[in-house]
């Protein structure tokens, strides 16, 4: 059986910048992974489910206000109530404040900024789809 995949693209706003130099907090990327996980569970089970835990998180490159991030996720293993998932986030557009305050550019090669894996749970009584 092929399990669902999902993607979300979001522009990091000035409100997302948490540190000096307009650096975005890594927790914001995990929030995107949470949104992707919710979509995956709705597609697979017809229920939002609950995020149980991450078993691995790797922050690999900085993210700044103005950057566009694509967050991808997929279900890789299904248990009775658990759903193991893998996530990756890529920077696809970066802001260019070194040029001017509104400059940006599309990256020729997306930059992997974060990779993670984790487990979500959907109680048996809330699973609406039979697999």
């Amino acid at each position: 059986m092929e399990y669902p995949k999902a993607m979300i693209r979001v522009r990091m706003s000035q409100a997302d910048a948490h540190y000096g130099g307009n650096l975005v907090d890594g927790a914001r990327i995990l929030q995107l992974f949470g949104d992707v996980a919710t979509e995956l569970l709705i597609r697979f089970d017809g229920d939002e489910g609950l995020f149980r835990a991450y078993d691995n998180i790797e922050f690999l490159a900085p993210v700044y206000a103005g950057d566009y991030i694509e967050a991808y996720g997929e279900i890789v293993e299904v248990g009775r109530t658990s759903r193991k998932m893998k996530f990756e986030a890529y920077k696809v557009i970066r802001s260019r404040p070194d040029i001017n305050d509104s400059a940006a550019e599309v990256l020729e090669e997306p930059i992997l900024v974060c990779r993670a894996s984790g487990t979500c749970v959907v109680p048996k009584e809330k699973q609406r789809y039979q697999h």
Side-chain angles (χ1 to χ4, degrees):
M1 167 179 244
E2 189 170 314
Y3 300 125
K5 297 178 182 182
M7 187 272 284
I8 186 170
R9 178 186 284 182
V10 177
R11 179 180 182 268
M12 298 292 107
S13 73
Q14 198 61 47
D16 295 319
H18 186 73
Y19 300 107
N22 288 326
L23 189 61
V24 173
D25 190 341
R28 180 67 175 104
I29 304 303
L30 297 182
Q31 205 174 36
L32 296 178
F33 290 164
D35 290 342
V36 169
T38 298
E39 180 178 340
L40 289 169
L41 293 174
I42 291 168
R43 289 178 181 279
F44 193 75
D45 290 299
D47 190 87
E48 291 185 3
L50 299 168
F51 211 113
R52 184 178 169 274
Y54 284 102
D55 51 51
N56 184 50
I57 301 170
E58 296 176 76
F59 294 105
L60 303 166
V63 175
Y64 300 96
D67 291 345
Y68 280 72
I69 301 299
E70 288 182 354
Y72 294 86
E74 64 179 308
I75 295 174
V76 294
E77 188 179 316
V78 173
R80 187 173 167 276
T81 60
S82 64
R83 313 291 181 245
K84 285 188 159 279
M85 299 181 186
K86 291 189 340 188
F87 305 95
E88 291 184 334
Y90 292 86
K91 183 187 310 190
V92 295
I93 296 174
R94 71 174 169 193
S95 68
R96 291 294 310 269
D98 56 314
I99 296 173
N100 68 51
D101 61 350
S102 58
E105 66 187 8
V106 176
L107 298 173
E108 284 186 38
E109 287 290 321
I111 298 168
L112 180 62
V113 298
C114 186
R115 178 178 27 230
S117 57
T119 303
C120 293
V121 175
V122 179
K124 198 72 176 155
E125 67 274 8
K126 292 190 176 185
Q127 295 173 21
R128 295 185 15 229
Y129 305 143
Q130 301 302 312
H131 302 283

